[in-house]
Amino acid sequence: MSMSAARRWILLGLVATVSVGSAVIWHRLSADAIEQAQQQLKAQTWLSVLPHNAYDNQPLQSPLTLDTAVLAHSRLLSGYRATLASRTSAVVLHSLVQGYGGPIELLVAIDTQGRLIGTKALRQQETPGLGAALVAPGNHWLQGFVGNSRQTTPDAAWALKRDDGQFDQLAGATITSRAVIHAVHDALRYFDEHRQVLLGDQQ
């Protein structure tokens, strides 16, 4: 092989190496950017149950160890601690309950006094126009729980009015409404029973 041919092959090899290396680097950078965007979207969605001025940490980076996952009507999937000036300000519990059409995933935010400060349905498979109204824009049914606690609302009152409880139901969605009320009540009861662990030693 002549010197010129050898140089051409070396040059082609270098070009190929640079091309492959650039592709690998670009793929890694793109994957990192996509993952970061996904994490930001998750944080924006999940933390919408908390008032903006209620925390200054990254709650999703502070997962809690939950002693008991299976509750009376629901199951806890995870929990997170929000802090403000290094003191616990709220706890967010990720709950799963069986609705009419399938599992419903809820986020339940509770302040240090055991009061509900936010609830959000993450996923649901309820009937369109009925139970699915749970996630419809402008539907404020979930806001009806905010401010309640087991101290202000006795355990027996955590039910639909038609079941001698305190709460209205989503129109035409009795089973969905019952499931959500039970899950929220479960979360509040879990908070009260595990307050010291959930809030941390400073409380």
Side-chain angles (χ1 to χ4, degrees), residues 126-149:
E126 303 305 279
T127 307
L130 297 174
L134 196 64
V135 295
N139 189 300
H140 302 294
W141 182 73
L142 287 173
Q143 296 303 310
F145 302 112
V146 172
N148 286 283
S149 70

Side-chain angles (χ1 to χ4, degrees), residues 86-146:
S86 299
R87 294 183 63 82
T88 302
S89 57
V91 170
V92 178
L93 297 176
H94 180 197
S95 173
L96 180 71
V97 67
Q98 181 64 32
Y100 176 77
I104 300 172
E105 288 187 41
L106 295 170
L107 294 174
V108 182
I110 305 168
D111 71 10
T112 57
Q113 302 305 310
R115 291 186 298 258
L116 191 75
I117 56 176
T119 309
K120 182 181 184 69
L122 280 179
R123 296 180 182 85
Q124 53 80 34
Q125 303 173 38
E126 303 305 279
T127 307
L130 297 174
L134 196 64
V135 295
N139 189 300
H140 302 294
W141 182 73
L142 287 173
Q143 296 303 310
F145 302 112
V146 172

Side-chain angles (χ1 to χ4, degrees), residues 31-43:
D32 289 344
I34 291 171
E35 182 178 356
Q36 184 177 7
Q38 290 173 338
Q39 291 299 322
Q40 289 176 346
L41 178 60
K42 179 180 178 179

Side-chain angles (χ1 to χ4, degrees), residues 57-109:
N57 69 323
Q58 299 294 325
L60 298 185
Q61 296 178 15
S62 301
L64 296 168
T65 300
L66 304 180
D67 293 336
T68 305
V70 180
L71 308 181
H73 303 94
S74 59
R75 181 162 61 94
L76 292 180
L77 302 178
S78 58
Y80 305 90
R81 182 183 294 150
T83 62
L84 184 64
S86 299
R87 294 183 63 82
T88 302
S89 57
V91 170
V92 178
L93 297 176
H94 180 197
S95 173
L96 180 71
V97 67
Q98 181 64 32
Y100 176 77
I104 300 172
E105 288 187 41
L106 295 170
L107 294 174
V108 182

